Amino acid sequence: MDCETPLTQMNTNLLSLHDLSVHFAHGGGQTTVVDRVSLTLGAGEVLGIVGESGSGKSQLLFALMGLLASNGNATGHALFDGQDLLSLPTKALDRVRGASLSMIFQDPMTALNPYKRIGDQLAEGLIHHQGLPRAAALAEASRMLDRVRIPDAPRAARRYPHEFSGGMRQRVMIAMALLVKPKLLLADEPTTALDVTIQAQVLDLMLEIAHETGTAIILVTHDLGVVARICDRVAVLYGGRIMEEGPAETMLSDPRHPYARGLLATTPRLEAAITPRLPTIPGAPRSGGAMLPSCPFAPRCSDKMPACDHMPPLRDIGPERRLACHLEPAP
Ligand code: SF4
């Protein structure tokens, strides 16, 4: 799909983003952190959005959830299940959130209420969105806690978030997000705070339950190892723009964009010979300021050429693959 795809054609997808931008107002000016992102997601699909800090990936998710900071606003369209999330009134958006759209946050302690028992917090969504009686909702909550392998789930449901370890709290968040069987789960770096062995368990569990419930996932991460483990497709974001997009398997084996290649080269691999130091991408990620007409990666790109003073369009380069780079000539 390219940016010129008509909105009517995108309705067959579970989610269709069309020219979605996110801006923040400050001191009389405006910073654009996501710039005209167009993407589609099918039912049950797992899409990884990859990029360094400041690439705009988390703000993209917050825009979909209607959770931008008060000085932020999103423009464009985000058609989800037949409705444009960006133009829904608050009450209608509330009905979507927690029912067919849910989110797992990076830090579960910011999302869990420290004064409420875990079971009550899980049951809330079922009572509010599905009209279940409290006792039935608590029983469902307890079953889901057991499903995410929280030991002695009925007892754990009566506990408070601070009584759980970091890994258990993240599993509670997964239980809460998937309990209502949403059509789409947004996961913002869900395993960053966990150690590597727990990370793998939590990711596998999230994927397993999402497959059972038919839930599609957008997973925001800076970790290509995580993408390789669970994603069907991947979009690489830099400076708020999509640089490359395609099936995870082909993108990870044959990245075309210099930034995507750099990300892959800087990802540690277990099977690789031990080297004294991993390569790094020179320079610092772009942060803030007005969008420039040039390629945002140009200041760090060793392949830069005069044409790069103009942002290349995101265009098809093969089956389901899109690239925004002047290096690859148009077919
Ligand atoms: Fe590098 Fe130019 Fe491609 Fe940007 S468009 S990544 S500067 S070669």
Side-chain angles (χ1 to χ4, degrees), residues 10-327:
M10 297 195 293
N11 278 332
T12 51
N13 295 296
L14 176 67
L15 178 74
S16 298
L17 308 185
H18 184 75
D19 282 348
L20 193 154
S21 298
V22 177
H23 317 277
F24 286 96
H26 56 85
Q30 177 171 279
T31 296
T32 300
V33 296
V34 176
D35 188 36
R36 290 164 290 159
V37 163
S38 294
L39 274 175
T40 59
L41 183 75
E45 198 175 17
V46 181
L47 170 72
I49 298 187
V50 183
E52 293 165 294
S53 299
S55 59
K57 54 196 194 308
S58 293
Q59 296 304 334
L60 181 60
L61 297 197
F62 288 142
L64 297 180
M65 286 294 280
L67 294 177
L68 290 174
S70 57
N71 63 334
N73 84 297
T75 57
H77 300 279
L79 297 183
F80 172 64
D81 211 14
Q83 304 183 86
D84 191 345
L85 294 174
L86 302 191
S87 56
L88 276 184
T90 310
K91 274 194 174 170
L93 186 58
D94 275 345
R95 280 195 292 274
V96 174
R97 288 188 298 218
S100 51
L101 176 65
S102 39
M103 183 160 174
I104 299 176
F105 296 87
Q106 211 172 109
D107 177 4
M109 275 314 263
T110 58
L112 291 169
N113 184 334
Y115 304 110
K116 267 189 156 178
R117 294 178 199 274
I118 289 290
D120 287 327
Q121 297 192 52
L122 260 74
E124 245 168 37
L126 294 173
I127 296 168
H128 185 63
H129 293 287
Q130 295 179 9
L132 248 66
R134 186 166 181 273
L138 281 171
E140 278 297 310
S142 181
R143 259 196 295 277
M144 192 54 146
L145 286 175
D146 187 50
R147 182 71 190 76
V148 296
R149 295 176 204 138
I150 300 285
D152 194 359
R155 200 152 155 256
R158 294 194 295 277
R159 293 193 165 154
Y160 293 89
H162 72 270
E163 297 179 76
F164 289 74
S165 68
M168 281 170 75
R169 279 198 292 263
Q170 203 54 289
R171 276 186 267 160
V172 167
M173 280 297 300
I174 290 173
M176 190 185 286
L178 290 171
L179 186 59
V180 290
K181 300 189 174 78
K183 291 182 178 172
L184 175 59
L185 172 68
L186 307 176
D188 183 19
E189 306 259 16
T191 56
T192 303
L194 307 177
D195 74 50
V196 177
T197 45
I198 306 283
Q199 269 187 24
Q201 289 170 11
V202 168
L203 284 172
D204 290 347
L205 193 58
M206 185 175 82
L207 192 65
E208 193 181 304
I209 301 175
H211 277 166
E212 283 168 20
T213 52
T215 300
I217 301 175
I218 297 183
L219 173 77
V220 151
T221 181
H222 62 274
D223 186 338
L224 287 176
V226 167
V227 169
R229 192 173 188 95
I230 73 166
C231 294
D232 302 312
R233 275 196 303 133
V234 55
V236 175
L237 220 62
Y238 189 86
R241 289 171 169 155
I242 295 179
M243 299 285 114
E244 187 168 1
E245 190 213 335
E249 211 180 322
T250 46
M251 281 264 309
L252 294 178
S253 60
D254 178 28
R256 305 284 181 82
H257 195 280
Y259 176 58
R261 287 205 299 261
L263 276 182
L264 200 68
T266 57
T267 301
R269 290 172 190 225
L270 278 180
E271 74 279 11
I274 295 173
T275 52
R277 159 180 306 199
L278 271 174
T280 53
I281 303 175
R286 188 178 180 277
S287 66
M291 279 291 157
L292 302 170
S294 56
C295 168
F297 190 60
R300 305 172 74 185
C301 182
S302 55
D303 295 305
K304 188 184 170 211
M305 58 187 108
C308 306
D309 288 342
H310 299 281
M311 176 67 197
L314 187 62
R315 55 186 173 73
D316 292 347
I317 56 159
E320 300 178 57
R321 287 196 71 171
R322 297 188 297 159
L323 175 74
C325 180
H326 289 299
L327 268 184

